[in-house]
Each structure stands twice: as C-alpha cells, then as structure tokens.
C-alpha cells in the first residue's frame, strides 16, 4: 500500500468519524432544556428600544448582530403567537413549542441566535443566525468545500482578442468596479490542517455564500420534535407548517445605492450596475461575481444561457440571410407566378375541400399565400436546415469544453463524485434497514425494493395518463379545425358576402383556420402546463428521491416529457399528419366517421406550420415575461405600499429583504425548461421557420437581463447551491439535437413541396411529367394537380351550392391518374418517383449529417488541454502538501532526545500528550 493510499484512508476515516459524530448529535437529541434559559433571555431582549431604533436609523444596512461583530448568516422570520386570537391559541402554542425546540437545537449544534422585533409589524419577529469559526470549519469539512491552498503558478493562455482590447473592453464589465479575482489551487477543507490553507483573515476566509450554504445545511437537519423513535427535523417542514414565515440569506445591501457599512462587499450593487441594469445589455456577464454572490448553480445557468445566446447569433445571421433570400425571390418564383397568373391559376377550378356546403374555387385565390410560402419553401431553407444540424453539434461540443473550464475555475470538478447528503424529506421517512452495497454497513431507507417499484410505477402511470390527456386535447383541436374550416370555407368563398371582399385576397379559409386553431392550442397548452406542474411535483415527492440532484433530475424528466408532448404535438400534427391521408374527392377519408380530413393548401402545409410556430414562440415569450417581470414587480409594489413607513431608511436590511418576493422552491427549473423548449423550436422545426433563431436571439438578450434584474432587485437572495453542470438538461439537449436531424429532413421531404419540384425539375430527360423540355419549372402547377370528374362525387359529398357556371371537372392536390384511365384515381408513376426521392433524400441527408456530427464530436475534446494540465497540477500539489504535513507528524513522533535516547511522542487531535523512552 502506497503513502498516498494511507493518506486517503486517513482523510476518509476522519471525515466519516466527523459525520458519525454529527449524526450522533442529531440522533441522540433530547429536549435541550439546558439551552432554554439562554433562548428565553434572547426572547426577553427583543423589544426595540430607543437605542436600538437609533442604531437602525444610523445603520439600516448592517449585516451584523447588535454587537457589530458577529455576521448574520441567515434570517428566520415568524409571527408572534401571543398577538393572536384566543380560539387559535392551541395551534399557535404547538407551533411555538416546535419553534423553541428547533432554535434550542440550533444552539446546541453550535449556532448563535439573536431575535429582533419588526419595526413595521409588531407581530413579526426576525431571528438572526450566526455560525462561529469552529462550526464553519466543521461543516466546511463535512460538505467537502474546496478552499485555496496556494496561488496558481501556471501561466494562463493569452486571449486571441488581446490585440483588440481597446474595442472589446467596452463590452466587458468595468475592471475598476469588478476586478479580476486572484487564482488559487484549491483542496477540500480539513479542520485539522488549517496551516495548509491560504488564510489571511478568518472573518473573510469563508465567503458569505459559503456561510449561507453551511447554515442552510444545519437548518435542514436540526430537529424540532421527537416523539418516541420518530424524529421530525428540517426548516422546510417548519416553513410548510407555518411555524416560520420565511428563511433566507441576506443581500449585502441595496441594489441601487452603494453601502458604506463595514463588512458589506457591495456585490449586489455591482451586479445591478454592471449586469442587471438595462444600460448594460450589451456587456458580457460577470460570471465569477455571479457565482460568488449566488452560488455555482445560478452561475452555471447564466453561463449556459449566455453561451447559448452567443452561439445563436451565428444561427440568426444565417437564418436572416435565408429569409431575405426567400423574400427577394418570391416574385421570381415560376410556380408562384403560375398560381397568380389569371390565364393559368385563374382558369384552374379546384375541388371543394368539405362536403356539400363548400363550393368550387379558383386557384389564384391563394396567390398571396403562395407568395408567402415562397419565402420559407426554397432551396435556401434546405441549406439552412443542414447548417443548423451542424450548428447544434458545435454548440453542444463547445459548451462541454466551456463547462469543463468553469468546473475547474469554480472547484466543482469532483462535486458529483463526493457523497451528497440525503434530502431531509428522505431522511425523515427512513424506517427500513438495508445493507449498503458499497460500504457493507447497515443503513436506513424509506422503502423496500418492492415499495420503490410501486412508487415508480405509479409515477410512470400518472405521466402517461397526462400525456394521453394532451393527445385527447390535440384530437379535440383537430375536430375544431375541421368544423371551423367548413364554416370559413362557406363564408369566404360565398360571392354574396360583400363585407368579406377586402379579406379574400389575403386570407384563405386555411389561413383563418390555422390562426384561430393556433391561438386556441396556445391557451390549452398554458392551462395544461399549470395543472400538470402540481401533478409532477406531487409525483416526484411521492417517489422520494434520495438527494436533491436525484429529485431535480426526476422532476426534470417528467416535466420535459410532458412539455415536449404539450408544446410540440400540434406542430408534429401539422408537419407530418395533416393532408397526408385525404384520398381523392370522390372517396374522402373521414375522422371518427363524421369529419372529413383536412387538406393542405396547393403549396403544402409549410406556411401553416410556420404560423403555428410563430404564434406559440411569440405567445410563450410574452406570457413568460408577464409572469417573470410584471407579476413580481406588481407584488413588491403592493407590498411596499401596504407596509410603507415614514422613511425607508429606518427599515433594517433583514426587513427590507423580507418585503421582497420569495424564490420558488424549484429555483431555476422553469428558467431551464423555458430555454430548452425554445431550443427545441429553434432546432426541431427550423426548416419551416428560418427566423426562429432570430426571434430566440432577441428573446434571450432580454431574458438574460430580465432574469438578472429579477433576482437582483425583486427577489430575496437565492440560497447558494453547488452544481457541476446543467444536470439532466444536458442529455435532453443531446436528444433534441439527434431528433432535430430527422425532423428537419422529414419536414423538407413531406411537409414542403421541395422534393416534388426537384423531381419535376430534373426529370425532363428521363420521364417528362409535364409540358417542359428543359430544366425549368414551367407547367409544374398543372402537373402537380390531378383531375377529378364532378359526376363522380358521391351524394354525401356533392356540393349543394350553385357556382353559376357549368363545371364538369375540378383539380385537387395529388398525383393520380385522370378519369377515363384504366387505373383512374390510382397513384401514378410520378407519385412513386416522388416517394422514392423523398425516402432517398431523408436517408442520404441523415447519414451525411450524423457522420459529420460524429466526426465533430470525436475531433473536439470535451476538456481543453490547458484545463487538464491545471487539474493535474492541483491534484499533485494537494498530494505533496498532505504528504509533507503527515511527514512532519511522523517526525514529531520520532524525535531524538538530548541524552541520545529517542522518545516517541503520542499525538492525539494535534496535541502532544505523552513521551515514552524506547
């Protein structure tokens, strides 16, 4: 066994002993009567005296206890039950006992408390929580917090943009306000080896976010009630039960005024000035300061969002170019000209698109729609779809590299390898015993293997039920589309309705149906989202995941699966189902035996898919901004109005923060979900809407600043949390990227009219489908419309309206033999050639793109070489320093005496206790 192995075993054993000691403190906890006198003495001194009021007026931004020495690490807020009515006194007395027990337990675990009455509401009490140095050191070791041991001596690589510093400096936060932090090699903290760490000032060695994280760890595990063998603990349960109204760490000052109080780093003010303020929208994000103030979890989210937005800029430029190309060429499109030509499209009579009440119509009535379709259905869209398939691969690969750099800089490289503590909700339910397969030690779990299977099965069944509910809503919207299309067709194409005359040139029945159905679909999506959110949380709580990471990953999978079906199902229907099973006018296909299936415009369903995407993306962005910005701002405005006092300066820092909005329990979950759903729209259906990256880019530029403004000004300080990466969202993004290749290839093949046009364009020398003798699109419209004899209508579908002209035949969108042919109304050779071309296009495009993606993934390493070197250097230094420290201990044990004999010094807990001759 090597020295390094011995050192690692010693480190692990010491940590296990410490965790066991802490566990014994919690397990053997009895009602801490010895602390109640201290607790009550704190309560007795909570009246706000004139002296204290003067201190508040002079120092409203103080972050310390009344002694001005002990820093406030956390705030607990409750309502004084003595002020309540008599009939509710029993409930409040139970809450009071739990609160007193909980706070006494906190003091027994080493925390220091100080209570203060509110200066606004006499019923409110604020309990300040402080962690002394010894407690900080203990829990820093338990949580494996990495702290600096030595300055980083590896030279950083020069930036490729260093020659343009005079330009780029204007796009970065001011270095005078937010300076670059010194880089250190770090190691997991060890209480017994303080001399190894770079400690200049004990008061500032642990950052406020570290202190808050450790404080919350204790608050989540302090007991508040013990009944027999059942122990109840955790601040979360007390908040849910109304024992406390709030629990939060403090902001370090006001966001719009620099604090002059000692101990205030003014990080909130700097973040607002250089990050959250609207004037700073063009600047890069100060990610290191965001991470330092809010923790790694918030930092990694904004890092990912910023990186995604930067990468979107390239996609937006190409997509905008594709759109401009389509816009410029819409007037020169041959097939669009034929549709609008009175001598071609004006002479083509189309068959009715519904039974009995729909009339015949002229093809040139869709002239404007065909021009709009040319903007999106062109060869530039094909190029853009291939480009986006490569773009999404580059985005994911470069993000993994950037994420690896952040993991090293933020000391989260080994975060997931460390044992994460169980959630308090999990620990509270542990009643069964099992043998740990790794350590071999018996441990308590909340369920048996069979019980876990039952919980997971119930969760899966519930998710499937809600997915079926979404599909049922989609069917209902399809029925609506079929019924409303009949009404619109009757009104828009009835020549007697003069009031609709101005709309006929621009709005077709298909367009009107698509817009109204998209709006209804959006409303249904929002309603189902709100309902399912509660169900998904309940299912995940019922499954009882062990760690918070497991909980978030489980909830993420459920929510995304639901949202995926909810948001994208209508788009998949339009892209791949609508107009695909309609047969021909003499024998139409009916849904539910009653409703005739929808047909696409003569140019295809692509423009309708574009309409659906633009409405959902735009409506979703507007709705999210209302929820994220307007509602918190209005709530805070009402709260300030209801609790206003003579001057805001008399309100202490903890009470100003209490008036802000609380952070959601799910934290960043909805922010990630919103962006990942957007990512799906940008990648899955981009072949139908090249402007999707442009809209996403504009939205994200606002989203970054809106989220920054929201958490900096409108919400209480976020509880800092550790995170190594974006969690379960990473494989979800990879899955979307793989699916996007197939969906875009199928949209081009089956939804757009590009493949039939290409077959027609290149077929003159092989099989002349139309009246063209060279590579041209002349005659395509006539070739793509089949002929139907009106006498072949069934009695059920024959039009009842008299069009005022004698019509013996009409045209419909399909490739079938004409009436009188031996195989009349069957698919012709052109149809099978088009189908073969579509399948070949999908196979070839997918293989080329997937091969390119594989090559790029292989060529681009996930971790940059420079980062690998720094990680190895840090591990080496940690091993050397620990080895030298243990060598010194061994030397002290075997030191020579003055008389020539050797004495051994027994060292226990860092102290010399006994010397023996030998």
């Amino acid at each position: 066994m090597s020295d390094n192995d011995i050192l690692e075993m010693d480190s692990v054993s010491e940590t296990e002993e410490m965790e066991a000691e802490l566990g014994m403190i919690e397990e053997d906890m009895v009602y801490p009567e010895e602390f109640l006198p201290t607790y009550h003495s704190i309560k007795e001194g909570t009246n706000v005296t004139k002296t204290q009021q003067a201190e508040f007026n002079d120092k409203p931004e103080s972050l310390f206890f009344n002694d001005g020495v002990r820093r406030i690490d956390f705030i607990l807020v409750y309502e004084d039950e003595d002020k309540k009515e008599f009939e509710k006194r029993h409930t409040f007395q139970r809450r009071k006992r739990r609160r007193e027990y909980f706070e006494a337990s906190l003091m027994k675990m080493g925390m220091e408390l100080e209570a203060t009455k509110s200066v606004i509401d006499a019923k409110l009490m604020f309990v300040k929580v402080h962690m002394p140095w010894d407690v900080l050191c203990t829990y820093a070791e338990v949580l494996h917090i990495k702290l600096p041991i030595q300055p980083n001596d590896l030279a950083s690589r020069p930036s490729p943009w260093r020659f343009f510093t005079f330009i780029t400096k204007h796009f970065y936060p001011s270095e005078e306000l937010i300076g670059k932090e010194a880089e250190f090699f770090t190691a997991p903290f060890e209480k017994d080896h303080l001399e190894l760490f770079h400690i200049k000032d004990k008061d500032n060695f642990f950052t406020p976010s570290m202190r808050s994280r450790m404080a919350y760890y204790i608050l989540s595990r302090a007991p508040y009630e013990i009944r027999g063998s059942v122990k109840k603990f955790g601040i979360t349960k007390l908040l849910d039960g109304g024992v406390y109204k709030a629990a939060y760490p403090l902001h370090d000052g006001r966001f719009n005024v620099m604090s002059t109080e000692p101990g205030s780093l003014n990080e909130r003010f700097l973040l607002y000035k250089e990050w959250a303020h609207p004037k700073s929208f063009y600047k890069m994000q100060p990610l290191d300061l965001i991470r330092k103030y809010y923790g790694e979890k918030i930092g990694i989210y904004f890092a990912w969002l910023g990186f995604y937005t930067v990468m979107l800029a390239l996609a937006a430029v190409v997509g905008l170019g594709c759109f401009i190309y389509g816009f410029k060429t819409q007037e020169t499109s041959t097939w669009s000209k034929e549709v609008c030509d009175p001598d071609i499209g004006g002479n083509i009579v189309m068959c009715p698109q519904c039974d009995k009440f729909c009339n015949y119509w002229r093809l040139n009535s869709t002239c404007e729609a065909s021009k709009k379709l040319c903007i999106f259905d062109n060869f530039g869209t094909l190029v853009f779809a291939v480009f986006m398939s490569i773009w999404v691969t580059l985005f994911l690969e470069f993000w993994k590299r950037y994420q690896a750099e952040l993991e090293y800089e933020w000391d989260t490289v080994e975060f997931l390898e460390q044992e994460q503590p169980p959630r308090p909700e999990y620990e509270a339910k542990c009643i069964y015993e099992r043998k740990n397969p790794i350590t071999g030690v018996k441990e308590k779990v909340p369920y048996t293997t069979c019980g876990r299977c039952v919980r997971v099965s119930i969760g899966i069944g519930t998710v499937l039920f809600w997915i079926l509910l979404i599909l049922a809503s989609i069917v209902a919207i399809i029925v609506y589309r079929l019924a409303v299309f009949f009404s619109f067709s009757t009104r828009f194409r009835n020549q007697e309705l003069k009031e609709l005359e101005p709309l006929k040139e621009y709005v077709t029945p298909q367009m009107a149906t698509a817009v109204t159905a998209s709006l209804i679909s959006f409303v249904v999506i929002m309603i189902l989202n709100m309902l399912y959110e509660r169900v998904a949380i309940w299912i995940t709580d019922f499954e009882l995941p062990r760690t918070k990471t497991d909980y978030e990953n489980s909830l993420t999978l459920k929510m995304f699966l639901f949202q995926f079906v909810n948001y994208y199902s209508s788009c998949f229907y339009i892209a791949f189902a609508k107009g695909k099973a309609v047969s021909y006018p003499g024998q139409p296909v009916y849904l539910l035996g009653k409703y005739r299936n929808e047909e696409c415009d003569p140019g295809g369903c692509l423009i309708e898919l574009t309409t659906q995407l633009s409405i959902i993306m735009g409506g979703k962005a507007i709705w999210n901004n209302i929820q994220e910005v307007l509602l918190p701002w209005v709530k805070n405005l009402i709260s300030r109005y209801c609790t206003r006092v003579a001057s805001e300066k008399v309100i202490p820092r903890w009470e100003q923060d209490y008036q802000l909005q609380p952070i959601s329990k799910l934290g960043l979950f909805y922010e990630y979900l919103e962006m990942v759903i957007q990512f799906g729209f940008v990648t899955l259906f981009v072949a139908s809407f090249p402007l999707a990256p442009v809209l996403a880019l504009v939205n994200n530029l606002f989203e970054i600043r809106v989220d920054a403004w929201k958490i900096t000004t409108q919400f209480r300080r976020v509880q800092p949390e550790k995170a190594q990466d974006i969690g379960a969202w990473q494989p979800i993004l990879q899955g979307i990227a793989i699916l996007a290749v197939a969906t875009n290839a199928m949209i081009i093949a089956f939804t757009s009219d590009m493949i039939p046009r290409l077959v027609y364009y290149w077929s003159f020398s092989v099989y002349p489908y139309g009246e063209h003798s060279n590579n041209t699109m002349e005659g395509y419209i006539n070739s793509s419309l089949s002929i139907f004899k009106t006498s072949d209508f069934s009695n059920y579908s024959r039009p009842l309206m008299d069009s005022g002209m004698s019509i013996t035949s009409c045209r419909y969108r399909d490739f079938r033999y004409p009436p009188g042919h031996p195989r009349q109304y069957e698919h012709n050779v052109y149809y099978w050639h088009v189908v073969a071309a579509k399948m070949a296009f999908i196979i070839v495009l997918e293989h080329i793109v997937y091969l390119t993606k594989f090559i790029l993934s292989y060529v681009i390493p996930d971790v940059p070489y420079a980062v690998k070197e720094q990680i190895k250097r840090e591990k080496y230094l940690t091993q050397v320093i620990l080895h030298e420290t243990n060598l010194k201990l061994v030397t002290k044990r075997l030191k020579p005496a003055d008389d020539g004999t050797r004495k051994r010094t027994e060292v226990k807990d860092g102290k010399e206790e006994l010397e023996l001759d030998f």
Side-chain angles (χ1 to χ4, degrees), residues 887-905:
L887 189 61
K888 291 179 182 179
L889 290 175
V890 172
T891 303
K892 291 178 70 176
R893 291 174 184 167
L894 301 173
K895 65 179 181 179
D898 294 337
D899 56 358
T901 62
R902 300 181 68 188
K903 296 186 178 182
R904 182 176 63 200
T905 305

Side-chain angles (χ1 to χ4, degrees), residues 42-43 45-49 52 56 64-66 72 75-78 113-119 121-128 652 654-655:
I42 292 175
K43 296 299 179 185
T46 56
N47 293 328
V48 181
T49 63
Q52 289 175 328
F56 291 154
F64 295 87
F65 279 20
N66 288 341
I72 300 174
I75 290 291
L76 305 176
V77 186
Y78 68 91
L113 311 179
E114 183 179 80
T116 303
K117 279 188 177 180
S118 170
V119 299
D121 187 353
K123 297 178 182 179
L124 288 180
M125 299 290 296
F126 293 86
V127 180
K128 310 170 195 175
W654 48 86
E655 201 152 356

Side-chain angles (χ1 to χ4, degrees), residues 338-564:
E338 291 184 351
V339 172
C340 298
D341 191 338
D343 296 330
I344 300 177
N347 290 328
I348 295 178
V349 178
M350 301 297 294
C351 296
Q353 292 182 309
C354 65
D355 296 329
K356 293 184 180 180
F357 298 99
C358 290
N359 204 351
Y360 301 99
W361 52 285
R362 300 284 181 180
L363 180 62
N364 63 350
S365 65
T366 62
C367 176
E368 292 299 323
S370 67
K371 290 181 179 180
K372 295 184 181 71
L373 182 62
C374 290
I375 299 176
F376 303 102
D377 193 1
N378 54 67
F379 298 113
T381 303
L382 171 61
V383 176
F384 185 58
V386 175
F387 167 80
M388 287 300 296
S389 299
I390 306 301
W391 173 89
V392 71
T393 302
L394 293 175
F395 163 67
L396 292 175
E397 292 302 317
F398 284 126
W399 162 247
K400 285 190 284 188
R401 288 174 60 85
Y402 184 49
Q403 183 175 258
E405 295 177 9
L406 294 177
E407 286 177 11
Y408 171 73
E409 293 176 4
W410 294 354
D411 296 321
T412 60
V413 174
E414 300 176 352
F415 172 67
L416 292 181
E417 298 176 1
Q418 300 166 356
E419 181 68 17
Q420 298 184 48
R423 297 187 308 126
E425 296 83 357
Y426 177 92
E427 293 179 321
K429 300 286 185 179
C430 290
I431 55 177
Y432 300 101
E433 282 192 354
R434 73 157 190 174
K435 186 177 181 181
N436 190 303
I438 299 175
T439 63
V441 179
K442 286 187 176 182
E443 62 179 8
K444 289 188 176 182
V445 294
Y447 38 64
T448 61
T449 303
C450 181
R452 175 172 174 77
C453 292
V454 170
R455 289 172 182 265
V456 173
S457 299
I458 292 175
I460 294 174
T462 307
V463 172
L464 291 178
F465 168 78
W466 277 85
I467 290 177
L468 292 176
L469 187 63
I470 297 174
L471 297 179
S473 69
I474 296 299
V475 173
I477 292 175
I478 293 174
V479 173
Y480 163 84
R481 298 168 69 102
L482 297 175
V484 171
F485 175 76
F486 152 74
S487 176
F488 283 149
S489 297
T490 304
R491 293 178 64 84
F492 276 95
R493 292 189 176 131
N494 189 346
Q495 299 297 327
E496 297 179 359
L497 295 178
K498 301 298 182 182
E499 68 274 10
L500 296 178
E501 192 66 31
L503 300 176
K504 289 182 179 179
E505 185 178 356
Y506 304 100
V507 182
T508 63
Q510 290 92 340
M511 174 88 52
T513 303
V515 172
T516 56
S518 298
L519 292 173
I520 294 175
S521 177
F522 174 72
V523 173
V524 172
I525 286 172
M526 293 296 104
I527 294 174
L528 289 177
N529 277 348
M530 291 187 289
L531 294 176
Y532 182 75
E533 173 188 328
R534 299 175 181 270
V535 176
I537 294 174
W538 176 82
I539 295 173
T540 310
D541 290 338
F542 178 74
E543 289 179 357
L544 214 60
R546 184 176 184 273
T547 65
K548 188 166 185 179
T549 300
D550 295 337
Y551 181 91
E552 292 176 348
N553 291 344
S554 177
L555 181 62
T556 297
L557 184 61
K558 293 182 182 64
M559 284 295 292
F560 177 77
L561 185 62
F562 175 85
Q563 298 273 16
F564 183 90

Side-chain angles (χ1 to χ4, degrees), residues 108 215 281 288 294 297 325 343 399 479 503 527 573 648 769 884:
K108 186 170 184 180
F281 76 94
D288 289 334
Y294 290 114
K297 196 167 190 177
Y325 169 79
D343 296 330
W399 162 247
V479 173
L503 300 176
I527 294 174
Y573 163 73
E648 188 180 356
Y769 299 111
E884 292 179 351

Side-chain angles (χ1 to χ4, degrees), residues 692-851:
V694 179
L695 297 181
L697 175 63
V698 174
N699 176 79
N700 288 6
L701 290 175
F702 283 99
E703 182 74 19
I704 292 175
R705 304 303 161 177
V706 165
D707 287 347
W709 176 84
K710 178 179 63 177
I711 68 170
T712 305
T713 66
Q714 302 299 308
F715 284 86
R716 297 169 190 161
R717 188 170 181 175
V718 180
Q719 167 57 40
E721 294 183 54
K722 202 84 169 174
Q724 185 180 31
D725 48 36
I726 60 176
W729 299 111
Q730 182 77 23
I732 288 175
L733 292 175
Q734 292 173 343
I736 292 176
I738 295 173
L739 182 61
V741 178
T743 56
N744 284 295
M746 293 176 68
I747 286 173
I748 294 174
F750 295 111
T751 309
S752 76
D753 216 25
M754 187 176 300
I755 302 301
R757 292 201 299 268
L758 287 174
V759 173
Y760 182 85
Y761 184 81
W762 291 105
S763 63
F764 75 97
S765 60
V766 180
Y767 199 103
Y769 299 111
E771 299 176 356
H772 71 307
S773 58
N774 51 18
N775 296 103
T776 178
M777 293 302 297
E778 293 180 2
Y780 171 73
I781 289 297
N782 186 63
S783 175
S784 64
L785 298 175
S786 299
I787 302 174
F788 180 77
K789 190 176 181 180
T790 56
S791 60
D792 292 337
F793 273 118
S794 65
N795 293 331
Y796 183 79
S797 60
R798 187 183 304 277
L800 299 178
M801 297 181 179
D802 185 5
S803 63
M805 53 183 176
S806 177
I807 298 176
T808 59
S809 65
C810 59
R811 310 295 291 271
Y812 61 98
R813 174 184 165 84
D814 209 341
F815 303 108
R816 294 176 182 268
Y817 289 112
H821 192 278
R823 300 175 60 187
Q824 66 175 5
Y825 302 137
E826 293 183 11
H827 287 121
N828 56 24
V829 177
Y830 187 19
Y831 171 81
W832 297 112
H833 286 183
V834 169
V835 170
K838 288 180 177 180
M839 299 305 298
F841 171 80
I842 292 174
I843 294 173
V844 172
L845 181 64
E846 285 187 351
H847 280 71
I848 291 175
V849 173
Y850 282 137
L851 178 62

